[in-house]
Amino acid sequence: MNWTAITKKTVTSFIASCSIIVALQAAAPAAAGQSAPPNPLPNADAQSANSAEQDWWKNAVLYEIYPRSFQDSNGDGIGDLNGITQRLDYLKKLGVDAIWLSPVYPSPQVDFGYDISDYKNIDPQYGTLADFDRLIAEANKRHIRILMDMVMNHTSDKHEWFIQSRSSRTNPYRDWYMWHDGKGQTAADKGEPPNNWQSDFGHSAWEWDEKTRQYYYHKFYIQQPDVNWDNPKIHEAFKDIVGFWLKRGVGGFRFDAITTLFEDPEMRDEDVLLDKDGKSYRNDYGDIALNDTRTNNLPGTHPVMQEFRAFSDTFNSPKFPGTRVLIGETYLPNIAELAKQYGPLGKPEFHLPMDTQVGFINKLDVAQFRAKLNDVETAIDGNIPLLVFDNHDNPRLDARYGDGVHDADIQRVISTMLFANRGTALFYYGDEIGMKTTPPTRKEDVKDPVGLTGWPKDKGRDGERTPMQWDSGSNAGFTKAGVAPWLPVPPTYTTVNVKAEESDPNSLFAWYQSLIRLKKTNPAFAHGDNVMLDTANTKVLSWMRQAAGAPSIVVSVNFTAEPQTVSLSVPGAAGKLKTLLKTPGGSDPASLGQIQLAAFGVYIGQVK
Ligand code: NOJ
């Protein structure tokens, strides 16, 4: 099986035909989705295919699927693996290289799969191991890789390890988790929790366990006890799990909550956060707001990731060739911390730690985007950035960037930032059609427990996890008519759906498809450096993609609701432009000195 046989010929012939948006939309399927050549490759091509296998992740398009919500194939109202398999052609058409599956392992589903009770199986709600193998095989045929979510910070409290661990203080699994006596604990009194650490989902991170009379630590829900990474047996147990899935052919992993593996060994209290008046305050869960320096981003994670990278780099097989990519869920305070996640020289860690600093600015502020994009270009030692603007834990793009009037245009702006900058791009199912955040309106409808703790200030994450909107028919094509989907289909499905947008050349879907094709096929776009242009402008963000031997590309993005004109200058260029892509209604500029943009308009042109 040959996953990513994108030959140079395919790319060159595509570029020749790729001039403007119309050409982009009418052209052959995206390079990423080309079928594998039927015969063995001649030597030169075999070599380039081999390096394509190794480098597949460097300019890749990754798509997050929340399996519960993507496609239900068996009519129980819950999405499943066979549903995803049925929709692979759609993802191929979009230009996706790899799918990150949120957890599909057996789980009590308290945190909808992030509480895992068996790491080497598939939850019956989602299918079977045979369904998983078929998904991998069918995805491979389309040159799409499957990435698993790997949750190593905690397990479910129903996992056998924890069941053993909590059964007695002398059980061999006792020190697989984080058990501590309470403060002031006596034979008769459990005392207070060992310190002030809080769960990210509200209230104390310590849970009293009466049977063995100790507290256990949980960074997330009570049902998600943290494992003890100071125990070498945990390292071995997780390598065994990672190896199990690598052998099955997964293309890599997204490591969940990876910055929280370790805690302060001295167990010191977290510092209390102060507001602008110097006073402590309460968060959405009613708790005193705390910093998290004792429980997040401790240095111990680095050697662990070096160990897992070295382990996963040993996997290669003719059946599943190519790099197995390690992605980190890395919410970090600054670019220096992000840079560390790639690992020191000779000791690599993540291939792609998520850069959440660009995508979660959550405000269309030109100066901030310019600064953060510049950081990622200059301060990660030439590594590959992983840009991401959206996922299953945050309100969707409309809620964080939209203005309620120009939301589709603003999504064109955001997706341009995602795909037209250097690096790998990760986006969330439904973004490509403009699905909107649709939170529950009544507390009794909330499914995500954090929404119950935080109601009404924090309504939980149901709003960004609603069923994929495939068409305007019953249940939006997500599940059969007459079945209640696990979360309600948002009312927008009648107009915001795949079927309607696939046939509309001016749709958001068409825009995503065009940007992805450009990213995959234009050399400056695929591998060029990012150089910021017009750097004093506070309304329009402009940059250039520049690669040796390839024509440079300029990109201008209007961050405002008013038309703007920009004048760019590119050293050594005559000033003429050939339009590659522009938002609907935009015009072809006469020159670099006269780029006119409609409200939230985007222009992408090749410099002549
Ligand atoms: C991050 C995941 O994205 C989120 O959904 C989950 O609740 C926590 N980690 C805990 O696993």
Side-chain angles (χ1 to χ4, degrees), residues 111 114 154 201 220 224 254 256 329 392-393 461 465:
D111 193 12
Y114 284 94
H154 49 267
F201 293 148
F220 298 95
Q224 293 170 301
R254 172 263 191 190
D256 181 70
E329 189 198 18
H392 63 283
D393 290 328
R461 298 165 292 180
R465 298 173 175 180

Side-chain angles (χ1 to χ4, degrees), residues 224-237:
Q224 293 170 301
D226 273 46
V227 301
N228 173 15
W229 277 92
D230 288 326
N231 183 344
K233 292 193 180 120
I234 282 291
H235 294 232
E236 294 318 307

Side-chain angles (χ1 to χ4, degrees), residues 37 122 302 338 485 554:
I122 298 292
H302 293 287
L338 181 67
V554 293

